[in-house]
Amino acid sequence: MGASAIPIIVVTAFWFVVGAILPWFVPKGPNRGVTQTVLVMTACSCWLFWLCCYLMQMNPLIGPEMSNHTLLVMKQEWGSSWKA
Amino acid sequence: MPLFRSEEMTLCQLFLQSEAAYACVAELGELGLAQFRDLNPDVSAFQRKFVNEVRRCDEMERKLRYLEKEIKRDDIPILDTGENPEAPQPREMIDLEAAFEKLENELREVNQNSEALKKNFLELTELKHILRKTQTFFDERESLMETESMTRALIPEDVTSRQVVAPHNLGFVAGVILRERLPAFERMLWRACRGNVFLRQAEIDAALEDPVTGDQVYKSVFIIFFQGDQLKTRVKKICEGFRATLYPCPETPAERREMAIGVMTRIEDLNTVLGQTQDHRHRVLVAAAKNIKNWFVKVRKIKSIYHTLNLFNLDVTQKCLIAECWIPVTDMETIQMSLRRGTERSGSSVPPILNRMMTREVPPTYNRTNKFTAGFQNLVDAYGVATYREVNPASFTIVSFPFLFSMMFGDAGHGLLMTLFALWMVIKEKPLAAKKIQSEIWVICFAGRYIMLLMGVFSIYAGFIYNDVFSKGVNIFGSGYKVNLTDEELKHHHSAMLVPDEANGHYRQTPYPFGVDPIWMMAENKIPYLNAYKMKISIIFGVVHMGFGVILGIWNHRYFGRSMNILVEFIPQIIFLVFLFGYLCILMFIKWTKYYAGAEDQTLTPGCAPSILITFIGMVLFKYDTVPLDGCDNYMYPGQVTLQKVMIIVAVLVVPILLFGKPILFKIEMNKSKNHAALHNQNGTAEGEDVEVAGVPQTDGHEGGDEPHEFSDVMIHQAIHTIEYVLGSVSHTASYLRLWALSLAHSQLSEVLWLMVLRKGLMFQDWYGGVLLYFIFAAWAALTVSILVLMEGLSAFLHTLRLHWVEFQSKFYAGAGYLFVPFSFENIMEVQPGEE
């Protein structure tokens, strides 16, 4: 069970800037409202999309099932074991 | 905020002095902000005031079209500078008419002349051929006569004396006929003259030009010998019937030679004259081609101005014209200014008057869009134009449409292709628009370039989340999985699952930071795993989208002064949605965070993770007595049973409020106004109100739009709405599962393309593998673009559109308005070329 702090902070901060900070800086003009709406909606939906994907993988119930060939190659290329 | 609601419109009355009217309407046409109403609806087109001017414009257009046809016939390029000339003054119209008349007459004359010249030329050419070919015929006849004289000696005197006479009296006609007609001609001659005529023919090798049609035809020269006058008439009649042209051919060779020389000189002269005529025509057309586009625009502007003037009313004093128009309130100043400009240009002294009128009619819906937002507004309007001043979903569609599209299209590679194409269209906007390509598919594609750009960009993002780039996963941050099995274990089993609990050491215990872990792209159980994920996010985003739609309804209720509706419509709707389907989403989040492989607490292991669907069904059916599996807990959190029961009961209770709330309020208001009227009657105020308010105003449709006025109407309306909402919430939520379905289809298609096409190409060894790969890549690329980008793109576009139109907009959108169609030269110019 784990959620690493860094990715959460980075991604959330990025979308927070896009959705809550940038709208204040949209230049005045006829399109101000539309641009603000676009920024906020983009930030919300993209952040939620990322969040669902992250949560889904945070506590996996099953793991990937692969053929032993693939596993052998993986072992060679990616190293084995997270344990020290 | 623009685009949140349609603009406020007002009906205005416009008083224009007759002299100034034309110029003012021209100015308004350039501005394009006023929609004129027809004040003479029952007058036929032929009885209107300016019908003569319209007719003159039609005449001018006809002449211009004739000119255009001639220019195109000669393949002269028409110059299109794209400039926009102003509408000419009425007095200029006469000049234009005269110019066109002159051009048309000149062209017609030139055409006639050249036709006559060509006919002449044809005759002379045919004569030339005849003179050449008949020489041989006459030579043959000479030899015939000689053979006759030879036989004379052999045959006894008395017999030959009769035969000698014949050759000297042979008459002949010479002419030219179409080759196809020759066999029939011969047969007819043979039958009609009983075989007593003699035909010789020779083909003309060169093709001749028919002057009328301009086609190239093949003809033959013929000469017919006959004896006697009767046969002569018969032969001539047959020639006429077969449309063979006869030419006078002299008998003696000397005369023939003279004639031939004369014909040659005449042909040469004719050629020169013909050449000069063509040059003259060409020059006239080239000069006309420079201005023809300009003229077209001017004439169309004049015509549209007069059509608009025909809508106006002439007032009693015959001195000024009255017009009624819808204009946006914020633009009144601009319109006043352009009217003043128009009056100045026409030199009139009386300023035009613009009056606002109070009316109960529903104004048209006007959304001010720029080139970016216009596409999205079109998507919304295609389903139904927004009711006047209701919330406009277009501004939200700018993001929600590409986002939902990207959830279905989710491949970064294909998204990149789409983005590049859209980027090209956007960057090269101006030159592409100027080309005015007529293909309908291109027009639609080009109009949606900004939509496509956004769809592509969001698809790239979704592609990174789904970790799908042309069906391959990318490993940017390092996978969270490693293989913690010994080689021995691996050799013994055909396949293995890397169980992600902490003990096994396969899984890092923190997830891949951005998107789906790349290891899943190689896993055999990828599809069940991703299915669970995609179905859940489809429902989550579906509920969010629909909830957003319901919330937008609040602004509609408040604006139209129906605040009570918030209590009796919005609250029940949102409670129903959130307590049932919002809770479903919450269950999903709980399941994601609570249960994990290798949990110490047995109840939290994957084996005990409850199926959300079963839980939800149990909740709705009040079924709480299932026996849990060994070591597992039936429930996800303490108090779940009570909470669920309460939520279902509240959700069910909310339905009657939705059903009866509005009608009851309506009834209360009705009673109130009845009491109010009764009070008035007692006080003896205006009798007029008596009739109106006594019962329910039944036929009066002007009371603030389309609200029904009978209690039964309201009840039925609300019943339909309730049933639609309640049943709809279930079906619409399920409908959002198409986000999962299409995304699965897309990824499977692209995977198949990789497995069956490109991978096979990459597996070849040796040098010829390279050559084969070249062709296989071409096939893979063609299939990718045509099937995955175009077909899937179109399919996902369609489904996203449906989700917006049906699932989202049914929660708050009425869409019963009509579009604001201003009198604008720009719109008219855009439409016309397509119609031609």
Side-chain angles (χ1 to χ4, degrees):
Chain A
M1 162 111 176
S4 165
I6 299 178
I8 297 185
I9 293 177
V10 170
V11 177
T12 309
F14 174 75
W15 288 120
F16 181 75
V17 166
V18 169
I21 311 275
L22 276 191
W24 294 106
F25 293 103
V26 176
K28 287 206 203 316
N31 295 321
R32 186 156 205 244
V34 176
T35 319
Q36 285 173 330
T37 312
V38 166
L39 283 170
V40 172
M41 280 185 74
T42 311
C44 289
S45 44
C46 288
W47 179 76
L48 185 61
F49 202 12
W50 169 83
L51 184 72
C52 290
C53 192
Y54 195 83
L55 287 179
M56 179 257 305
Q57 297 188 100
M58 212 164 71
N59 302 323
L61 298 174
I62 58 172
E65 186 173 320
M66 301 190 298
S67 75
N68 51 355
H69 295 137
T70 323
L71 288 170
L72 276 168
V73 176
M74 249 181 79
K75 198 167 162 197
Q76 213 176 348
E77 296 291 327
W78 290 354
S80 67
S81 177
W82 286 105
K83 291 194 181 154
Chain B
M1 182 187 98
L3 225 56
F4 184 65
R5 278 185 205 292
S6 67
E7 302 253 338
E8 200 182 334
M9 311 289 285
T10 174
L11 188 63
C12 280
Q13 221 172 23
L14 189 58
F15 293 91
L16 295 167
Q17 210 192 17
S18 305
E19 293 118 45
Y22 182 90
C24 288
V25 173
E27 286 289 330
L28 286 179
E30 296 286 344
L31 201 57
L33 282 174
Q35 178 177 346
F36 289 101
R37 284 164 29 131
D38 191 359
L39 292 174
N40 313 313
D42 38 350
V43 177
S44 86
F46 300 105
Q47 291 167 336
R48 303 228 179 194
K49 184 163 185 282
F50 295 97
V51 66
N52 277 332
E53 280 81 359
V54 175
R55 247 188 231 138
R56 281 162 65 192
C57 290
D58 274 333
E59 250 312 291
M60 282 200 279
E61 269 195 328
R62 184 193 61 78
K63 294 196 183 115
L64 281 176
R65 277 199 293 269
Y66 173 70
L67 268 172
E68 198 182 14
K69 196 174 71 144
E70 291 294 313
I71 292 176
K72 285 214 175 96
R73 189 131 71 100
D74 270 18
D75 290 327
I76 301 175
I78 298 183
L79 195 64
D80 189 3
T81 55
E83 64 174 88
N84 193 12
E86 280 189 354
Q89 300 287 329
R91 37 181 179 270
E92 280 178 49
M93 202 165 115
I94 306 178
D95 295 332
L96 278 174
E97 275 180 318
F100 297 162
E101 178 94 25
K102 193 168 111 211
L103 269 172
E104 192 196 9
N105 285 343
E106 221 176 304
L107 260 177
R108 280 202 200 278
E109 216 185 293
V110 164
N111 281 346
Q112 265 174 12
N113 284 348
S114 76
E115 207 176 296
L117 285 170
K118 281 199 188 134
K119 210 156 146 226
N120 229 348
F121 182 73
L122 182 74
E123 284 176 9
L124 287 172
T125 324
E126 287 175 354
L127 192 52
K128 178 180 84 178
H129 283 295
I130 286 179
L131 289 173
R132 244 189 254 152
K133 303 281 180 182
T134 51
Q135 181 60 38
T136 42
F137 298 155
F138 285 121
D139 288 342
E140 282 177 16
R141 196 183 72 160
E142 293 287 329
S143 60
L144 242 152
M145 281 169 50
E146 281 171 18
T147 48
E148 285 282 333
S149 52
M150 279 202 311
T151 51
R152 231 189 300 168
L154 303 168
I155 297 166
E157 292 284 331
D158 48 340
V159 180
T160 53
S161 52
R162 264 177 292 141
Q163 287 169 334
V164 166
V165 182
H168 296 292
N169 285 351
L170 267 181
F172 69 94
V173 286
V176 170
I177 189 175
L178 281 170
R179 257 188 229 173
E180 300 94 61
R181 299 211 178 121
L182 202 47
F185 183 54
E186 266 194 82
R187 247 196 312 258
M188 178 64 94
L189 270 177
W190 183 263
R191 287 194 197 131
C193 307
R194 285 175 241 247
N196 283 332
V197 295
F198 182 58
L199 171 87
R200 295 292 311 202
Q201 53 99 351
E203 291 180 351
I204 301 180
D205 304 313
L208 303 164
E209 192 190 339
D210 183 55
V212 177
T213 58
D215 294 336
Q216 308 276 38
V217 292
Y218 285 98
K219 293 194 175 175
S220 300
V221 170
F222 65 88
I223 184 162
I224 305 175
F225 293 103
F226 49 79
Q227 189 185 11
D229 281 325
Q230 271 194 356
L231 278 177
K232 186 174 181 175
T233 15
R234 232 177 264 177
V235 164
K236 283 223 168 109
K237 281 232 173 75
I238 295 173
C239 289
E240 238 177 79
F242 276 84
R243 269 185 257 285
T245 27
L246 296 173
Y247 292 95
C249 191
E251 291 218 24
T252 58
E255 274 177 26
R256 281 205 295 273
R257 240 171 291 137
E258 229 180 274
M259 197 178 204
I261 296 173
V263 165
M264 293 302 286
T265 8
R266 278 166 68 196
I267 285 183
E268 272 175 40
D269 286 341
L270 254 182
N271 260 336
T272 344
V273 175
L274 217 70
Q276 281 178 349
T277 323
Q278 292 295 76
D279 277 344
H280 177 67
R281 184 188 129 99
H282 191 83
R283 253 176 286 131
V284 167
L285 286 177
V286 163
K290 287 203 200 104
N291 297 327
I292 196 161
K293 271 279 176 274
N294 232 351
W295 287 334
F296 261 123
V297 171
K298 283 194 183 162
V299 170
R300 265 191 220 124
K301 283 195 177 177
I302 299 179
K303 195 162 138 187
S304 58
I305 294 179
Y306 277 117
H307 269 307
T308 315
L309 285 175
N310 271 338
L311 302 173
F312 295 178
N313 232 345
L314 200 57
D315 87 328
V316 192
T317 62
Q318 299 280 331
K319 278 249 180 72
C320 73
L321 288 165
I322 308 175
E324 271 182 26
C325 54
W326 289 106
I327 59 173
V329 170
T330 39
D331 287 323
M332 271 193 81
E333 267 304 311
T334 342
I335 294 186
Q336 294 269 26
M337 268 178 51
S338 57
L339 283 175
R340 243 173 277 146
R341 252 203 318 270
T343 343
E344 278 169 34
R345 280 183 56 191
S346 69
S348 155
S349 53
V350 181
I353 304 172
L354 190 67
N355 268 348
R356 281 180 78 153
M357 277 175 28
M358 291 296 128
T359 174
R360 288 176 173 237
E361 278 182 39
V362 181
T365 311
Y366 176 48
N367 283 306
R368 215 180 285 266
T369 52
N370 54 26
K371 67 184 177 191
F372 177 69
T373 51
F376 298 100
Q377 187 66 51
N378 275 340
L379 281 182
V380 171
D381 285 343
Y383 186 62
V385 178
T387 316
Y388 180 61
R389 298 292 273 171
E390 79 165 338
V391 173
N392 180 17
S395 50
F396 307 107
T397 307
I398 299 179
V399 172
S400 66
F401 190 91
F403 186 76
L404 290 181
F405 174 87
S406 75
M407 282 182 74
M408 292 193 256
F409 197 67
D411 185 314
H414 304 145
L416 184 68
L417 290 175
M418 195 181 267
T419 313
L420 289 175
F421 179 60
L423 211 57
W424 168 73
M425 277 201 288
V426 167
I427 291 180
K428 295 248 173 258
E429 267 187 331
K430 294 222 169 56
L432 283 174
K435 268 201 211 160
K436 287 207 213 312
I437 302 173
Q438 298 288 15
S439 156
E440 210 175 300
I441 295 182
W442 167 259
V443 168
I444 295 180
C445 222
F446 185 69
R449 59 195 181 278
Y450 286 105
I451 306 179
M452 206 185 283
L453 181 63
L454 283 186
M455 292 191 325
V457 171
F458 275 96
S459 298
I460 298 180
Y461 182 77
F464 279 117
I465 298 256
Y466 288 156
N467 212 345
D468 197 350
V469 181
F470 289 119
S471 85
K472 310 309 291 169
V474 285
N475 189 1
I476 307 179
F477 303 101
S479 170
Y481 285 84
K482 286 210 210 286
V483 181
N484 196 17
L485 298 167
T486 58
D487 289 349
E488 280 303 311
E489 287 171 322
L490 283 173
K491 277 191 208 140
H492 280 297
H493 301 287
H494 181 67
S495 65
M497 177 188 287
L498 302 178
V499 182
D501 60 329
E502 195 156 3
N504 275 334
H506 302 303
Y507 176 55
R508 171 175 66 193
Q509 302 305 311
T510 54
Y512 192 70
F514 192 85
V516 175
D517 198 306
I519 196 171
W520 287 105
M521 297 305 136
M522 302 185 282
E524 281 164 19
N525 59 347
K526 165 177 82 152
I527 294 185
Y529 182 71
L530 286 182
N531 276 356
Y533 163 61
K534 287 182 181 169
M535 285 170 112
K536 291 199 178 80
I537 56 171
S538 307
I539 300 286
I540 291 175
F541 278 100
V543 172
V544 167
H545 202 210
M546 287 195 290
F548 184 53
V550 176
I551 291 175
L552 280 181
I554 299 184
W555 276 273
N556 272 344
H557 292 315
R558 275 176 55 190
Y559 180 81
F560 290 114
R562 306 188 295 236
S563 300
M564 288 310 285
N565 273 356
I566 299 184
L567 215 56
V568 293
E569 255 194 41
F570 168 69
I571 303 269
Q573 282 181 332
I574 200 83
I575 288 182
F576 189 81
L577 191 66
V578 171
F579 276 19
L580 285 178
F581 301 101
Y583 180 65
L584 184 62
C585 297
I586 294 178
L587 283 179
M588 291 178 198
F589 279 105
I590 294 178
K591 184 171 175 184
W592 273 343
T593 44
K594 217 168 158 222
Y595 298 87
Y596 58 100
E600 287 97 39
D601 186 356
Q602 173 81 8
T603 57
L604 297 181
T605 52
C608 289
S611 157
I612 294 186
L613 193 57
I614 308 281
T615 315
F616 188 64
I617 294 176
M619 169 170 141
V620 175
L621 295 179
F622 276 83
K623 203 149 101 61
Y624 292 108
D625 51 3
T626 38
V627 178
L629 297 164
D630 273 335
C632 291
D633 196 356
N634 242 353
Y635 308 109
M636 295 206 265
Y637 56 90
Q640 183 175 1
V641 179
T642 336
L643 181 64
Q644 284 182 182
K645 284 187 182 163
V646 166
M647 294 213 300
I648 288 282
I649 292 176
V650 172
V652 171
L653 282 180
V654 142
V655 174
I657 300 182
L658 187 59
L659 180 61
F660 293 112
K662 217 159 119 171
I664 291 180
L665 280 178
F666 179 77
K667 194 88 201 239
I668 296 176
E669 272 197 37
M670 250 172 61
N671 290 341
K672 238 195 263 176
S673 57
K674 254 195 254 173
N675 292 340
H676 196 67
L679 227 72
H680 265 251
N681 281 346
Q682 284 175 4
N683 293 350
T685 39
E687 323 80 58
E689 292 178 24
D690 212 54
V691 183
E692 276 190 298
V693 192
V696 178
Q698 297 218 355
T699 51
D700 188 3
H702 287 315
E703 295 257 342
D706 49 0
E707 276 187 31
H709 296 285
E710 286 250 18
F711 178 71
S712 52
D713 274 349
V714 180
M715 191 66 233
I716 292 176
H717 187 87
Q718 198 58 22
I720 294 175
H721 183 86
T722 309
I723 295 175
E724 235 182 60
Y725 184 77
V726 172
L727 292 182
S729 63
V730 180
S731 84
H732 291 173
T733 310
S735 179
Y736 274 95
L737 283 172
R738 70 186 68 219
L739 294 172
W740 155 64
L742 259 91
S743 141
L744 179 66
H746 189 97
S747 74
Q748 286 306 293
L749 268 176
S750 103
E751 202 175 305
V752 160
L753 217 49
W754 158 258
L755 281 174
M756 296 296 148
V757 181
L758 197 55
R759 191 183 61 142
K760 301 235 166 114
L762 287 168
M763 292 200 301
F764 285 107
Q765 316 271 3
D766 296 337
W767 62 272
Y768 59 84
V771 178
L772 276 171
L773 181 61
Y774 182 79
F775 293 105
I776 289 183
F777 178 79
W780 177 84
L783 286 172
T784 298
V785 170
S786 62
I787 296 183
L788 288 170
V789 178
L790 286 175
M791 187 189 86
E792 275 287 315
L794 217 57
S795 167
F797 180 93
L798 185 78
H799 283 284
T800 316
L801 204 57
R802 177 251 154 71
L803 282 177
H804 275 77
W805 282 353
V806 178
E807 273 79 13
F808 176 57
Q809 290 182 313
S810 65
K811 302 287 179 288
F812 68 97
Y813 193 62
Y818 63 104
L819 215 50
F820 176 64
V821 184
F823 171 62
S824 153
F825 287 140
E826 221 179 291
N827 291 349
I828 295 174
M829 295 304 148
E830 251 176 62
V831 171
Q832 292 280 29
E835 281 178 354
E836 281 185 60

